[in-house]
Amino acid sequence: MFKNLTSLFQWERKTFEAFQIEVSTYSSLPCQICPRDVFAEQWIFRNMDMEIFQKIARHFHLAKWVIFQGWGEPLENEDIIPMLRVAKEARCSTGLVTNGFHLTETTSRQLLAENLDFLLVSLQGASQAGSEELSPGSDGHRILDQVRGLVDLKKAGQRRRPFIKLSFFMTRLNMGKLPALVPLAAKAGADEVIFTNLDYLPEERWNILRSFHHESPTPAFRESIEEIHRLGKKLKIKVETYPLKAEEKPVCKANPPQKVFIAADGSIAPCMYLRLPKEGKLHRIFLNKEYQVTQTFFGNIHEEDFLEIWNKEPYKKFRKIFEDRRQANEAQVQILDALIHRTPSTLGKESSLPFPALSEVCQTCYKAYGI
């Protein structure tokens, strides 16, 4: 009992929601809608070594989650299992985002042994053309078989974890075919299926492929989303679909005040969309215009202590924008609630409050708009 109470108090003292760690920028699985394809000549391939990992691991006691996710495939790093073990020994919940290519039986057994909390398998190849990319003989079909193998091992060991998620991209080419992927996910034994947007558009062909809109919705896309959710309820599998309309949010999903991205080279950034393993600036398309954005990071764990980097004034200033935006949103909600209930003290006040402007590097990032 006392041990459980101690664990609870340690959890409550966690300062950070998550450390998101990119342990590799390699990938054995080709993908035409990956930035590696666009920036092939500029891409910097590396695996994070244990020396850099241990320097951030010193601070794992401050984080609720350690999530292995970046612009490459975590299972390409031969130290991934020892890394997971270190995170678990620090009493962190752990997650891993993979393309599933290396999800062999041996690897699945190792992930189960390390008590991984969630595994997200991103089936990008199947996202490009729909369920035919999962036909026998395809990489997608083999990966789904490997997911089924993990599910079988999990059941045989009577384990509740990892929570297994499958993820697919939504594009203009495949929206009508995506509902057919829900039964496939359910048959594979996944706990959840997620349909995400192309949220980073490095060149025009990606902009053409995006399924989300700024002003003019596509009714057929909305019908596909409704069918996806109908099938989810019927098959009793959890379903998540990302928004089809870009609308500015107070704080993006990356949540820089409470989450940190550590790149494979050890650099500390607010999120992975501001730190790509490539030379030079970031190329983006936003509202059909091209932009070049400076890569944004505030130090390197290989050279400085993490907390020294976290407490640098430029980093604090960057985070404060989001903290102020969150507070403004909360105040707006309170005012609207009070007006609905006609509280005398709030009558005559503005019904909305402006958010502080986003940082310049975030203004052209679709994650800031819920995508």
Side-chain angles (χ1 to χ4, degrees):
M1 175 181 176
F2 292 112
K3 183 178 180 181
N4 291 337
L5 286 173
T6 300
S7 298
L8 177 62
F9 292 145
Q10 287 176 337
W11 179 270
E12 290 176 345
R13 287 200 301 268
K14 301 280 190 178
T15 305
F16 297 92
E17 179 67 27
F19 285 168
Q20 180 183 341
I21 306 179
E22 177 185 69
V23 295
S24 180
T25 64
Y26 289 94
S27 177
S28 297
L29 192 64
C31 177
Q32 295 179 356
I33 50 176
C34 175
R36 285 188 305 277
D37 181 61
V38 178
F39 304 122
E41 295 182 1
Q42 301 167 298
W43 201 256
I44 301 171
F45 292 95
R46 61 160 51 92
N47 281 332
M48 178 181 284
D49 59 42
M50 283 298 290
E51 181 184 359
I52 291 178
F53 182 81
Q54 289 290 358
K55 288 183 177 181
I56 190 62
R58 298 172 190 168
H59 303 281
F60 280 175
H61 65 281
L62 299 173
K64 294 180 182 179
W65 283 88
V66 173
I67 300 173
F68 295 89
Q69 177 187 15
W71 292 106
E73 168 55 50
L75 296 180
E76 293 278 356
N77 192 314
E78 62 182 12
D79 292 320
I80 185 61
I81 299 303
M83 289 173 170
L84 274 167
R85 189 173 305 131
V86 169
K88 274 296 180 181
E89 288 171 351
R91 296 184 180 277
C92 298
S93 295
T94 54
L96 190 147
V97 179
T98 175
N99 59 29
F101 187 80
H102 295 299
L103 196 63
T104 62
E105 180 180 344
T106 298
T107 300
S108 293
R109 289 185 182 278
Q110 290 174 322
L111 295 176
L112 287 169
E114 298 305 327
N115 297 311
L116 182 70
D117 290 283
F118 83 78
L119 180 76
L120 189 153
V121 180
S122 180
L123 287 152
Q124 297 176 339
S127 301
Q128 296 175 55
S131 57
E132 63 265 28
E133 289 295 322
L134 298 171
S135 59
S138 67
D139 285 329
H141 186 270
R142 181 176 65 81
I143 290 168
L144 267 187
D145 278 344
Q146 292 179 164
V147 170
R148 292 188 192 98
L150 174 58
V151 171
D152 289 343
L153 290 172
K154 179 179 155 185
K155 289 180 179 177
Q158 297 183 325
R159 294 176 176 270
R160 298 182 62 185
R161 291 288 185 268
F163 191 85
I164 299 172
K165 312 177 187 184
L166 298 184
S167 174
F168 301 94
F169 277 136
M170 300 186 293
T171 74
R172 297 192 69 84
L173 297 179
N174 70 2
M175 285 298 294
K177 304 173 184 178
L178 292 180
L181 298 175
V182 179
L184 286 176
K187 186 177 179 180
D191 299 295
E192 182 177 6
V193 58
I194 305 170
F195 296 91
T196 66
N197 285 303
L198 290 173
D199 48 24
Y200 173 52
L201 312 177
E203 62 180 18
E204 182 57 28
R205 67 186 172 101
W206 289 37
N207 188 38
I208 294 171
L209 280 174
R210 64 175 170 82
S211 58
F212 64 88
H213 66 274
H214 306 119
E215 297 295 339
S216 302
T218 305
F221 291 0
R222 172 52 56 189
E223 292 172 6
S224 289
I225 295 295
E226 291 173 354
E227 178 65 5
I228 284 169
H229 285 275
R230 186 191 70 80
L231 286 169
K233 289 181 180 179
K234 177 182 177 181
L235 299 171
K236 298 180 180 179
I237 181 173
K238 186 177 180 181
V239 167
E240 180 182 0
T241 54
Y242 275 46
L244 289 178
K245 183 176 182 181
E247 296 182 297
E248 186 174 348
K249 304 298 179 184
V251 181
C252 63
K253 198 168 185 178
N255 193 6
Q258 294 180 305
K259 298 179 182 178
V260 181
F261 177 67
I262 303 98
D265 67 349
S267 53
I268 305 295
C271 76
M272 61 187 288
Y273 295 88
L274 288 174
R275 186 59 174 149
L276 268 69
K278 66 175 289 290
E279 300 171 359
K281 293 187 175 183
L282 307 175
H283 299 263
R284 291 178 182 164
I285 292 180
F286 179 76
L287 290 174
N288 300 315
K289 295 181 180 180
E290 293 187 14
Y291 295 87
Q292 290 195 30
V293 179
T294 302
Q295 299 228 30
T296 302
F297 59 99
F298 295 95
N300 193 298
I301 194 70
H302 190 62
E303 301 164 353
E304 304 172 84
D305 181 73
F306 167 70
L307 290 180
E308 291 178 358
I309 298 171
W310 178 257
N311 288 311
K312 286 182 176 180
E313 284 304 316
Y315 200 176
K316 290 165 70 174
K317 183 178 179 181
F318 183 94
R319 298 195 305 268
K320 189 175 186 303
I321 293 172
F322 291 96
E323 292 164 352
D324 290 346
R325 287 169 65 86
R326 179 182 282 121
Q327 290 176 7
N329 182 64
E330 291 172 353
Q332 177 178 315
V333 170
Q334 291 174 1
I335 289 173
L336 289 173
D337 183 65
L339 288 173
I340 290 171
H341 292 89
R342 299 182 182 276
T343 304
S345 62
T346 60
L347 290 176
K349 291 187 178 181
E350 294 292 331
S351 62
S352 63
L353 298 173
F355 294 145
L358 288 163
S359 167
E360 184 177 354
V361 295
C362 297
Q363 289 175 9
T364 56
C365 176
Y366 275 117
K367 299 307 290 184
Y369 300 84
I371 296 305

